[in-house]
Amino acid sequence: MTDTWKTRTKLVHGGVRRSQYNEVSEALFLTQGFVYDSAEAAEARFLQAGEDEFIYARYGNPTVAMFERRIAALEGAEDAFATASGMAAVSGALTSMLKAGDHVVSARALFGSCLYVLEEVLTRFGVEVTFVDGTDLDAWRAAVREDTKLVFFETIANPTLEVIDIAAVAEIAHAVGAQVMVDNVFATPVFSRALEQGADVVVYSATKHIDGQGRTLGGVILGTTEFIRKTVEPYMKHTGGSMSPFTAWVMLKGLETIDLRVRAQAAGALHIAEALQGHPKLAQVIYPGHPSHPQHALVARQMGKGGTVIALDIKGGQGAAFRFLNALQIVLISNNLGDAKSIATHPATTTHQRLAEDVKAKLGITPGLVRLSVGIEDHEDLIADVLQALDAV
Ligand SMILES: *Cc1c(COP(=O)(O)O)cnc(C)c1O
């Protein structure tokens, strides 16, 4: 039945496990362990735990399992493993499947911590990593080799919102037998069709749109049951990156409303991007869902909508960007994204501060660039706030 449900039904009812009390709202099983009826039962469960049998929260927990089932149903994945943070998902997915001598090709424009894992951690254990401009298909073609085990990229780059063609890169990777892993945060699980477009593994920071209200850190790895249960689960359960039941309960309730929130946020983002076109204080308004985005056709094909984040390049550099940020009255200055509250970030001095100047320039992280994560507030209020802050520049 679940398979034929449409998205919003899956998000409200998918994955539910009810206790003997038949509660309406999903129960929070805040327990590390589980009691066995006998020593023999404990032995049997360690030998082979059944679908409704749990051993220890690092291995699995009923609330966490509900979250995993629900997000897998949303993504159209066979299975999912929930993790303590987005980075536990990225590092766990990579480390569980790679070994010394493997070759990886990755897009260069990455979230700082993803770059650290690929560039500093994996290479320390003998994995060779080649970085390419992810939007350049010829660069992917030139970089993959017969021994390439994996390609990795963020489907929409942070903060410059360049879009990578999942189907095209997957075709190049699969031709040499490599797997495709995508960090899909900016595309959001609502607009993602990454698996159907050729990705083998999809990773999310659930901290962003899945929580959606700025409370908890979490992540999830999605893929085939074979990959999740044979490769990811043994690694995650023994190395300690599993999601806590409390977090899973918050994330489950986040999933109930994610479709409503993200669609409202994307509509707001488009509305704001339209209102700011040609503004004299702006060198550029970047929004993947607006026809002015250079890859608008790809965005329309790949995800339908443009997501919840806009980037504004304010004329006058860092000083102008700071005046803009300091004049905002509704939009908060912070560094999360996907939240119900609109948030503005100055990447060059915060999230991407550690990058060398030439790397920032290469990635398009200019001194005037401001990332705006659009929340669920009234669009007109947000437009008025952004316009009055631009007046203050
Ligand atoms: C936030 C983020 C992460 C890391 O997620 P955490 O939950 O903060 O660990 C990874 N990739 C992308 C693209 C992100 O935006």
Side-chain angles (χ1 to χ4, degrees):
M1 179 153 87
T2 320
D3 287 346
T4 64
W5 285 347
K6 299 220 178 5
T7 298
R8 287 189 186 171
T9 312
K10 287 180 185 166
L11 287 172
V12 174
H13 295 288
V16 166
R17 290 164 184 257
R18 291 205 161 83
S19 77
Q20 72 272 34
Y21 300 112
N22 261 328
E23 61 281 353
V24 170
S25 177
E26 296 76 358
L28 166 50
F29 292 96
L30 200 56
T31 180
Q32 301 157 339
F34 302 83
V35 179
Y36 311 101
D37 289 340
S38 65
E40 290 78 7
E43 183 187 30
R45 194 166 306 178
F46 270 78
L47 189 64
Q48 177 66 55
E51 172 69 10
D52 258 324
E53 295 179 341
F54 297 90
I55 293 172
Y56 189 54
R58 180 151 46 71
Y59 292 25
N61 167 286
T63 310
V64 177
M66 284 193 263
F67 169 70
E68 291 172 342
R69 286 274 129 244
R70 189 170 289 180
I71 181 76
L74 173 62
E75 191 72 29
E78 282 179 18
D79 215 337
F81 194 92
T83 60
S85 68
M87 285 321 303
V90 171
S91 65
L94 290 168
T95 320
S96 66
M97 75 182 288
L98 295 170
K99 62 178 187 325
D102 284 342
H103 179 237
V104 175
V105 183
S106 170
R108 189 179 291 117
L110 293 178
F111 182 72
S113 303
C114 295
L115 185 64
Y116 175 82
V117 170
L118 284 152
E119 202 172 32
E120 311 277 338
V121 181
L122 292 180
T123 51
R124 223 185 314 134
F125 293 90
V127 175
E128 189 191 342
V129 186
T130 306
F131 290 99
V132 297
D133 171 354
T135 60
D136 181 352
L137 294 178
D138 286 332
W140 288 105
R141 275 186 206 101
V144 296
R145 315 189 302 227
E146 288 304 317
D147 65 339
T148 303
K149 179 84 182 287
L150 179 76
V151 308
F152 179 85
F153 55 96
E154 291 171 16
T155 51
I156 301 185
N158 172 27
T160 48
L161 309 179
E162 283 165 347
V163 183
I164 297 185
D165 188 334
I166 299 173
V169 175
E171 197 182 319
I172 294 166
H174 290 155
V176 296
Q179 299 263 92
V180 178
M181 185 185 296
V182 299
D183 177 333
N184 213 18
V185 163
F186 279 68
T188 83
V190 170
F191 300 131
S192 167
R193 299 199 305 275
L195 289 171
E196 161 194 327
Q197 287 156 349
D200 299 294
V201 180
V202 179
V203 177
Y204 287 104
S205 164
T207 312
K208 313 292 165 54
H209 304 86
I210 296 174
D211 177 311
Q213 293 174 68
R215 299 160 295 193
T216 50
L217 291 178
V220 65
I221 306 167
L222 298 124
T224 62
T225 302
E226 167 90 11
F227 174 70
I228 296 296
R229 297 301 150 195
K230 300 270 169 61
T231 301
V232 172
E233 182 189 300
Y235 180 86
M236 293 306 300
K237 77 182 190 188
H238 294 304
T239 57
S242 305
M243 180 180 276
S244 95
F246 179 78
T247 297
W249 180 78
V250 173
M251 298 299 183
L252 253 178
K253 302 312 279 181
L255 282 179
E256 279 191 350
T257 58
I258 192 173
D259 193 78
L260 301 172
R261 284 185 285 107
V262 166
R263 285 183 192 280
Q265 288 169 269
L270 179 59
H271 204 167
I272 296 169
E274 280 165 352
L276 295 179
Q277 292 300 310
H279 193 286
K281 301 269 175 79
L282 295 173
Q284 218 187 342
V285 178
I286 308 170
Y287 179 58
H290 193 271
S292 62
H293 191 281
Q295 297 165 294
H296 187 248
L298 170 61
V299 174
R301 188 165 78 239
Q302 187 158 297
M303 43 191 280
K305 301 277 191 227
T308 64
V309 180
I310 303 175
L312 305 175
D313 197 357
I314 301 176
K315 289 180 186 167
Q318 183 178 322
F322 275 27
R323 280 192 292 281
F324 170 77
L325 288 166
N326 292 335
L328 289 166
Q329 289 174 0
I330 297 171
V331 179
L332 307 174
I333 303 172
S334 189
N335 39 260
N336 194 16
L337 63 96
D339 200 284
K341 296 179 170 67
S342 292
I343 290 173
T345 311
H346 187 247
T349 55
T350 61
T351 52
H352 295 69
Q353 188 188 89
R354 288 187 311 123
L355 296 183
E357 290 308 317
D358 61 318
V359 179
K360 282 183 203 169
K362 204 167 174 180
L363 294 175
I365 303 167
T366 60
L369 195 76
V370 171
R371 187 184 78 190
L372 181 63
S373 167
V374 179
I376 60 172
E377 303 95 332
D378 185 273
H379 304 177
E380 298 302 336
D381 286 342
L382 291 177
I383 291 170
D385 192 29
V386 169
L387 289 176
Q388 67 78 26
L390 284 172
D391 283 344
V393 170

